[in-house]
Amino acid sequence: MEPLIICKNIHKSFGEGSTRTTALSGVNFSVNRKEIRLLMGPSGSGKTTLLSIIAGILTQDIGECLLSGKDINHLPDQEKTDYRGMYIGFVFQIFNLIPTLTCMENVAIPLLIQKVPLKEALERARSLLNDVGVFDKATFFPNKLSGGQQQRVAIARAIIHSPTLIICDEPTSFLDLITGNKIMTLLKELVTKKDLTLVVVTHDPRIMPFADKIDYLEDGKIVS
Ligand SMILES: Nc1ncnc2c1ncn2[C@@H]1O[C@H](COP(=O)(O)OP(=O)(O)OP(=O)(O)O)[C@@H](O)[C@H]1O
Ligand SMILES: [Mg+2]
């Protein structure tokens, strides 16, 4: 089967003239379906830039990036946003939960964007919070939860709309060892149960045992 992600010869720079920074120079990167892929490398090596290009948040200068055979970076803006909303879930280092919404409401957001009726969206959110082990926090505001609990809520939000791809940027770096392991175990379980593909950027060597394959970026190039 064709890989879910195929990036070929990706180049990306920021800025102009003397402030120009090359973030990626000729990256080739493919990820198979249902794979857990880690992307590691020093700070500034281009990891977040590559994730952003895969997700259609940034557009590469040169090269091609296909997701399920589709070049999302060259879709019109609205189509790109819709595609991202349907097929990709995001989990970041900072949990990015909306502080004025309850956990349940936060999790329901991707469904509401897809015009699922509010009552149904909230019911599904509640049930998924149960799956990720924070059922009792459904009606709490995020600031009442621990870091690990907030990350569980963020994962629930990332997967509620059954995306094909979950992109995680440093999902465990603010978490202690045990909580970080629990979060990765949960993500791994979801990959198996829901046929997800997971790309995780991390500095955290504790995540390495969860990976099917690890790639290293250095100075904007894949070095292994
Ligand atoms: N919006 C931007 N404007 C200018 N330069 C940028 C921008 N985003 C990234 N860069 C530069 O591109 C390079 C790669 O950045 P990137 O954020 O991809 O690194 P990273 O590997 O994710 O680092 P970290 O591990 O610290 O998160 C860096 O030199 C960075 O300064
Ligand atoms: Mg980064």
Side-chain angles (χ1 to χ4, degrees), residues 14-15 21-23 41-50 169-170 201 203:
F14 295 100
T21 313
T22 300
S43 181
S45 57
K47 303 179 300 292
T48 298
T49 305
L50 181 57
D169 201 348
E170 304 277 4
V201 158
H203 284 115

Side-chain angles (χ1 to χ4, degrees), residues 34-82:
K34 303 187 206 176
E35 193 172 26
I36 300 183
R37 176 67 63 89
L38 249 57
L39 193 55
M40 302 186 82
S43 181
S45 57
K47 303 179 300 292
T48 298
T49 305
L50 181 57
L51 280 192
S52 305
I53 290 171
I54 292 168
I57 295 165
L58 285 175
T59 304
Q60 66 274 24
D61 302 329
I62 304 173
E64 188 182 51
C65 188
L66 302 177
L67 195 58
S68 292
K70 209 175 168 88
D71 179 355
I72 64 167
N73 274 310
H74 292 101
L75 292 175
D77 279 351
Q78 188 56 49
E79 265 180 65
K80 195 198 279 192
T81 307
D82 292 348

Side-chain angles (χ1 to χ4, degrees), residues 6-7 38 46 67 110 164 185:
I6 304 176
C7 292
L38 249 57
L67 195 58
T164 316
T185 305

Side-chain angles (χ1 to χ4, degrees), residues 26-218:
V27 168
N28 295 302
F29 182 73
S30 313
V31 180
N32 291 320
R33 286 162 207 273
K34 303 187 206 176
E35 193 172 26
I36 300 183
R37 176 67 63 89
L38 249 57
L39 193 55
M40 302 186 82
S43 181
S45 57
K47 303 179 300 292
T48 298
T49 305
L50 181 57
L51 280 192
S52 305
I53 290 171
I54 292 168
I57 295 165
L58 285 175
T59 304
Q60 66 274 24
D61 302 329
I62 304 173
E64 188 182 51
C65 188
L66 302 177
L67 195 58
S68 292
K70 209 175 168 88
D71 179 355
I72 64 167
N73 274 310
H74 292 101
L75 292 175
D77 279 351
Q78 188 56 49
E79 265 180 65
K80 195 198 279 192
T81 307
D82 292 348
Y83 189 90
R84 199 190 299 139
M86 290 283 269
Y87 296 105
I88 307 178
F90 298 92
V91 180
F92 296 108
Q93 175 174 30
I94 38 165
F95 318 117
N96 278 325
L97 298 171
I98 297 173
T100 53
L101 297 180
T102 64
C103 291
M104 192 164 82
E105 289 163 347
N106 265 284
V107 174
I109 292 169
L111 295 179
L112 298 174
I113 291 172
Q114 290 181 15
K115 311 249 185 309
V116 173
L118 180 65
K119 189 162 174 282
E120 183 193 333
L122 290 176
E123 272 165 19
R124 283 170 60 186
R126 210 184 248 282
S127 148
L128 192 58
L129 284 171
N130 188 28
D131 293 347
V132 300
V134 283
F135 181 71
D136 55 330
K137 307 290 187 222
T139 57
F140 285 41
F141 290 100
N143 68 358
K144 299 285 181 258
L145 277 64
S146 71
Q149 290 167 339
Q150 288 185 54
Q151 197 58 305
R152 283 164 188 268
V153 176
I155 289 170
R157 186 183 54 185
I159 62 168
I160 192 156
H161 54 308
S162 303
T164 316
L165 172 65
I166 306 273
I167 285 184
C168 306
D169 201 348
E170 304 277 4
T172 59
S173 55
F174 285 156
L175 305 176
D176 61 80
L177 173 68
I178 292 171
T179 313
N181 261 321
K182 279 190 189 156
I183 291 295
M184 283 312 297
T185 305
L186 171 65
L187 282 167
K188 194 172 177 124
E189 217 178 273
L190 294 167
V191 166
T192 316
K193 266 200 222 155
K194 304 197 186 246
D195 287 349
L196 294 171
T197 303
L198 197 61
V199 179
V200 184
V201 158
T202 187
H203 284 115
D204 186 350
R206 300 170 307 188
I207 293 187
M208 291 163 79
F210 291 93
D212 294 309
K213 187 172 176 219
I214 304 175
D215 282 302
Y216 294 88
L217 261 180
E218 234 174 82

